[in-house]
Amino acid sequence: MMRRALLLATLLVIALAAVARAAGPPFPDPVAGQSVYDEPDVLSAAVEASLQSQIDDIEQRSGAEIVIYLQVDPSATGESNVAAAAALIDQWGIGRAGYDDGFVILISYYDDLVHGQLSTFGGAGFSAAYLDANEQQQMRQNVMAPYLLNGDPEGALLAAMTVIDAAITPEATASLDQARITNAVLGLIVAPVLLLFTVGIAWWSWRRQGADPVLSDSESVLMAGPPA
């Protein structure tokens, strides 16, 4: 009996260590068509399906890409979790190129699967058009935290998706699209003009100051003194 209990305890320690080693970053490769990842298995299948459906609807109407990632990371801190959320966006390429409209909700649990760290991270486009840093903080503290403190991650994530869904309006998406067009115009037209202007200024400055002097054999050079 003692041997069996020791074996079970050893296997449990090994399993927890494996989960800790698997915590990102770096994260495992994403699964095509999947936006909700529940490594600790704290979400029901029905809630996962509901969250996935909401994310799919948002992406279809706006193009914004959202990922919810739950993991076990006993070493997580507030700073490291924010950095991990940013790393997840970079590693997976969440958000459309040129729009930077990706968004991540990252919950890193400690071994007890009760306490942990909650972080969100949005790309520059997402934060500018939908939820800025202050609004994200309010969502975490006022919307999600009460559920998480009561041990209800499902309620926290469902409530968060309601806030996100309401923020991604057609008007906000249109403003992001317009900003994308403006940036493209600036990149294709203004940038080359500025480059040519800079090159022209450099050439003119060289012509006036940088060119080697031209020597000539004029009479004034050959004379011992200046002419009368």
Side-chain angles (χ1 to χ4, degrees), residues 5-96:
L6 180 60
L7 177 59
L8 290 175
T10 302
L11 291 176
L12 178 60
V13 170
I14 293 174
L16 290 175
V19 171
R21 286 195 300 270
F27 294 87
D29 292 335
V31 178
Q34 182 177 345
S35 301
V36 182
Y37 296 82
D38 177 23
E39 291 183 355
D41 196 23
V42 296
L43 304 178
S44 67
V47 168
E48 283 192 42
S50 178
L51 295 170
Q52 184 68 54
S53 178
Q54 285 182 284
I55 292 173
D56 289 342
D57 289 343
I58 289 173
E59 183 174 358
Q60 183 175 7
R61 74 171 190 262
S62 69
E65 299 177 359
I66 300 171
V67 168
I68 296 173
Y69 201 102
L70 282 66
Q71 65 174 356
V72 177
D73 184 1
S75 64
T77 64
E79 292 183 357
S80 71
N81 211 53
V82 172
L88 180 59
I89 279 189
D90 292 339
Q91 182 184 330
W92 285 6
I94 303 168
R96 294 173 295 171

Side-chain angles (χ1 to χ4, degrees), residues 23 52 70 77 84 94 96-97 118 134-135 148 156 173 179 201 210 218:
Q52 184 68 54
L70 282 66
T77 64
I94 303 168
R96 294 173 295 171
L118 164 66
N134 183 57
E135 291 167 333
L148 292 173
T173 300
I201 291 295
S218 68

Side-chain angles (χ1 to χ4, degrees), residues 78 106 134 189 193 203:
L106 176 63
N134 183 57
I189 298 177
V193 171
W203 179 84

